[in-house]
Each structure stands twice: as C-alpha cells, then as structure tokens.
C-alpha cells in the first residue's frame, strides 16, 4: 500500500509538472510570464520609486532638467514594463488614474487659486481654445496625410481605423472606442487591426507627450509665478502635519463634491471639470478668511493657505506620469503590430498635427507657445493629461482651460471621426 501511494504521488507530481510546462509553452509557443512585481502594493511602490528618482534627477542633474521629470518617469516605467518587471495591467494603475491624478490637479489648484482669477485668466482660456480648434484641424489634416501614405497598407478597414484615430486625437480614448462602435469595426472583421491600433496609440501618446515636454517655454504670467514661487518657499517652511492633512482632505472633499455634482447632472465624466471650478473657489475663500480673521496662529494660517499642497501635487503628478509609462509595454506593442504599417501611420498623423498646430497657432495667429502646447496635449491626450502637464510645469492659469477644451473635444471628436472614416472609405 505504501509503494502504491508513493507511485501515485510521483504520478501526480509528474502530471502537475507537465501541466505547468504546457501552460508555459502551449503549442510550442512562449506565453507572457508573470511580472516580477504583481501585487497592487508592490506595483504602487515601484511607481513611487520611479517618480522619486525622476524628480531627484530633474532637480540635481543637467540632463534631468533638460529632459524633465515627467519624461524620465514615463521612460523609466516603460522600460521596467518592457523588461517584465511591472505588469501590463494592475489595480494600482486604475487607482492612479481615478484618484491620484485628480487629487494632484486639485492640490495644485488649492495651492494658488488667486492665480486663476488674475487679469490673464480670460485671455489664457481664449488662447488655449483657439489653439485647440487649430489642433483639431491639424488632426484632420494629419489623418488625411497618413492615409494617403499608408492607408492601402492597413487593408480594407484602414479608413475606419483612420477615423478612430482621428477621433482619439481630437478627444480621447473614449472617442476611439465610440467611433469604432459607430463604424462597426469589430463586427466587420477589423478586430485584429483595431487591437493593433489601440496598442500603437498608447506608445504614440507617450512619445507625443515627451515631445511636448521637450519644447521649453515660459508659462502664463511668469512674473506673477516667480513671486508665487518665492512666497511659496517662505510658506513651505511653515508646512505642518495639520496643513498637509488639511490640504489632502480638502482635495478629496472637492473631488467627491465634484463627482456628486457631475453625477447629478447625468455627466459623470465631467467631474474633473467641476473640480477645476470648485477648487479655486475654495482656495480663494480660505485666503479671504485668513486675511479677515487676523489670526496670529501660524498653524491656522498654514492650514488656510493649504501649505504643502504644491509639493504634494508635484509628487502625485510624477506618480501619474510613471503610471502612463508603465502601461506601455514595448514588447507587447511590437508583437501585436507584427511589423505592420500602424506605427508609421500614427507617426505621420501626429507629426503633421503638431507641426500644423505650431505653425498656424504660434507663427500665424501669434498664440503663446505655452497655450499651444496645452491645447495640443488636450487634443491628443485629453483633459487628464493636459491638466497634468500644466500642473507639472506650474502653469496654474492653464488648468481650467486645459480641462475645458479637453471636455469640449470629447463632445465633438466622435462625430468628426465617424465623418472622416466614412469620407476616406
């Protein structure tokens, strides 16, 4: 009986080993192995470390300052994902998109709501709106140029995919999906091409954002900003645990109120836009209370000034850009594309769009370069990445215009994408 039990154990072990080998290499192929870090806590820890290193390199090295912290964070996290150190999907990524990034934007708005109601705010909004319209036209021109060059290489569904990408680079990823559904790409047999386009879109967006960060320019009201930085350095010395907690608590309260308001109007996707309106109101109200109360309490003053909100915002923005990079696994993207024409197609589209936007907006219409960059980001990345870039570069007057134009892009992009897809077909 003991010998039979031993044989059974050996047979069970051999069967389990064969099953593991079969799962590892089914049909003679190699499947994607588990990443080195898989738990949400481990992934989040890795992203925070990447963001920290990027921030230190930006502050302490010439190369880092020239490349910028967000670009370093995206490139480093993408390298880790491509080396299988980080997974392609994680609950940590979702948490950063839904909570961390909006919190960073609101914290930046709380840091200086007064900058959003200065004399230049109205002009800033107009500049970004004009550049956004030019950028949308540039996307249409870029789509036509890319389709003329590589449309035939995309096959019978190339025109529909071109329409999806056009919608994506006017509004955002949700417009990509909505246009694909409207053009019936999946049911028409274009699922494989659609998957390749979505994979290439992730890589292209990160490369496009890196190009925008590489263009150096001063932001709106730079003199006012320099004064804010000086005063911010003085306030930073008064940061306390209470002021930091108050800043974070207020940011989360603003986000929850914004979610409730947006849901009440039946438009939950507008919650970030509502937050960009509420946060300056809260900041200005707190500053007014601090001035009128004439309190001698340094701790109360730092709380009402939301001391510490700006550095927390910068840290969360670095975490967000690291998450963007981690979602770009180069091995998966190139395996999905299999050497097709999708990457050259998107490269021509976005290059044409950026050149068109810069020439028409900045050179012909004389729109400030910072506004053109924010608008171009809102075109390609949507309101989230546009607001994140404005926060990372300290362009506080650009927060609200970035979100507003990005949301406007959501409303028009699907219609334009469907029209372009049908026209090219």
């Amino acid at each position: 009986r003991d010998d039979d039990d031993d044989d059974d154990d050996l047979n069970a072990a051999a069967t389990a080993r064969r099953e593991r080998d079969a799962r590892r290499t089914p049909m003679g192929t190699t499947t994607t192995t588990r990443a080195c870090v898989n738990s949400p806590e481990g992934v989040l820890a890795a992203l925070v470390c990447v963001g920290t290193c990027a921030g230190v390199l930006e502050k302490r090295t010439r190369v880092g300052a020239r490349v910028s912290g967000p670009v370093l964070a995206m490139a480093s996290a993408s390298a880790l994902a491509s080396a299988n150190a980080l997974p392609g999907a994680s609950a940590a990524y979702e948490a950063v998109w839904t909570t961390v990034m909006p919190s960073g934007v609101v914290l930046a708005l709380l840091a200086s709501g007064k900058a959003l109601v200065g004399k230049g705010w109205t002009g800033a909004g107009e500049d970004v709106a004009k550049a956004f319209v030019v950028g949308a036209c540039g996307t249409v021109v870029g789509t036509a140029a890319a389709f003329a060059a590589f449309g035939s290489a995309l096959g019978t569904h190339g025109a529909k995919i071109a329409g999806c990408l056009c919608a994506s680079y006017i509004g955002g990823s949700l417009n990509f999906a909505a246009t694909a559904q409207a053009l019936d790409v999946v049911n028409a047999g274009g699922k494989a091409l659609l998957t390749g386009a979505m994979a290439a879109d992730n890589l292209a967006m990160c490369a496009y954002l890196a190009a925008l960060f590489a263009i150096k320019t001063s932001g709106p009201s730079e003199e006012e900003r320099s004064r804010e930085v000086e005063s911010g350095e003085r306030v930073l010395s008064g940061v306390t645990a209470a002021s930091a907690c108050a800043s974070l608590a207020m940011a989360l309260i603003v986000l929850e109120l914004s979610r409730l308001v947006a849901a009440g109007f039946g438009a939950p996707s507008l919650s970030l836009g509502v937050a960009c309106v509420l946060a300056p109101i809260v900041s200005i109200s707190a500053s007014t209370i601090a001035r009128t109360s004439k309190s001698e309490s340094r701790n109360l003053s730092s709380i009402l000034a939301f001391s510490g909100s700006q550095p927390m915002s910068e840290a969360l923005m670095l975490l967000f850009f690291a998450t963007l990079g981690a979602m770009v696994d180069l091995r998966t993207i190139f395996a999905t594309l299999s050497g097709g024409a999708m990457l050259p197609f998107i490269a021509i589209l976005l290059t044409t769009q950026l050149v068109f936007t810069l020439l028409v907006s900045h050179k012909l219409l004389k729109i400030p370069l910072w506004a053109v960059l924010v608008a171009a980001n809102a075109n390609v990345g949507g309101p989230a990445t546009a607001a994140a870039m404005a926060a990372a570069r300290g362009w506080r007057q650009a927060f609200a215009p970035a979100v507003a134009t990005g949301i406007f892009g959501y409303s028009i992009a699907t219609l334009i994408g469907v029209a372009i897809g049908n026209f090219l077909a």
Side-chain angles (χ1 to χ4, degrees):
R1 187 180 300 110
D2 291 340
D3 291 340
D4 290 339
D5 291 342
D6 292 340
D7 291 340
D8 291 340
D9 292 340
L10 290 173
N11 291 332
T15 301
R17 186 166 56 252
R18 285 194 299 271
E19 289 177 352
R20 287 196 301 268
D21 293 340
R23 286 195 298 268
R24 188 177 297 115
T25 56
M27 302 298 291
T29 60
T30 301
T31 60
T32 302
T33 57
R34 286 173 58 86
C36 296
V37 180
N38 284 287
S39 68
E41 296 82 3
V43 172
L44 191 59
L47 293 175
V48 171
C49 290
V50 168
T52 301
C53 293
V56 171
L57 290 174
E58 182 183 28
K59 299 294 184 182
R60 300 294 179 89
T61 65
R62 289 184 178 181
V63 175
R66 187 168 300 176
V67 174
S68 81
V71 174
L72 288 173
M74 284 191 292
S76 301
S78 178
L80 290 176
S82 301
N84 206 39
L86 292 174
S90 173
Y93 302 158
E94 183 69 19
V96 171
W97 270 96
T98 58
T99 303
V100 173
M101 184 277 295
S103 298
V105 172
V106 173
L107 283 168
L109 290 169
L110 291 175
S112 183
K114 292 181 289 184
L116 298 172
V117 294
K119 296 180 180 179
W121 189 91
T122 303
E126 292 177 357
D127 288 336
V128 175
K130 292 176 183 177
F132 181 86
V133 173
V134 173
C137 295
T139 297
V140 174
V141 173
T143 303
F147 189 78
F150 288 98
S152 59
L154 296 180
T156 57
H157 302 288
K160 294 181 178 181
I161 295 299
C164 294
L165 291 171
C166 180
S168 179
Y169 298 142
I170 292 176
S173 297
L174 64 87
N175 297 106
F176 183 103
T179 305
Q181 183 178 15
L183 294 175
D184 200 24
V185 177
V186 176
N187 293 332
K191 184 176 181 179
L193 189 60
L194 186 66
T195 302
M198 294 177 68
D201 178 48
N202 290 332
L203 175 61
M205 186 180 71
C206 284
Y208 189 89
L209 295 182
L212 294 182
F213 272 104
I215 301 175
K216 302 300 182 182
T217 182
S218 58
S221 302
E222 198 65 24
E223 292 182 359
E224 179 181 353
R225 169 163 165 72
S226 64
R227 290 195 298 271
E228 290 173 359
V229 170
E230 293 176 359
S231 62
E233 291 174 351
R234 291 194 298 269
V235 172
L236 189 60
S237 61
V239 175
T240 63
S243 67
C245 289
S247 299
L248 185 58
M250 184 55 68
L252 295 175
I253 290 172
V254 168
L255 287 175
E256 179 61 16
L257 290 176
S258 302
R259 185 190 66 80
L260 294 175
V261 171
F265 283 97
S269 62
L270 300 181
S271 60
L272 184 59
V274 177
C276 287
V277 175
L278 291 181
I281 295 175
V282 172
S283 178
I284 295 168
S285 301
S287 298
T288 303
I289 294 173
R291 288 197 305 269
T292 56
S293 64
K294 297 180 180 180
S295 174
E296 298 297 330
S297 172
R298 181 180 179 184
N299 195 35
L300 179 60
S301 299
S302 65
I303 291 174
L304 294 176
F306 298 112
S307 300
S309 56
Q310 184 61 36
M312 281 195 293
S313 171
E314 293 174 359
L316 295 182
M317 287 300 103
L318 285 173
L319 176 57
F320 168 67
F321 284 109
T323 303
L324 276 181
M327 297 170 70
V328 179
D329 185 343
L330 298 179
R331 298 172 308 151
T332 303
I333 289 174
F334 288 116
T336 303
L337 295 176
S338 300
M342 190 60 67
L343 276 180
F345 183 95
I346 295 179
I348 292 178
L349 194 165
L350 290 181
T351 301
T352 304
Q353 189 267 356
L354 182 57
V355 172
F356 181 93
T357 304
L358 290 173
L359 289 178
V360 175
S361 297
H362 187 53
K363 296 298 183 181
L364 295 181
L365 300 181
K366 306 300 181 183
I367 297 175
L369 184 56
W370 67 265
V372 177
L373 298 180
V374 170
N377 194 326
N379 281 132
V380 175
T385 59
M389 186 182 79
R393 302 186 76 161
W395 299 343
R396 296 172 184 171
Q397 288 184 358
F399 293 162
V403 174
T405 52
I407 292 174
F408 175 68
Y410 282 162
S411 65
I412 65 172
T414 300
L415 180 62
I416 296 175
V418 172
I420 292 297
N422 289 326
F423 175 79
L424 293 177

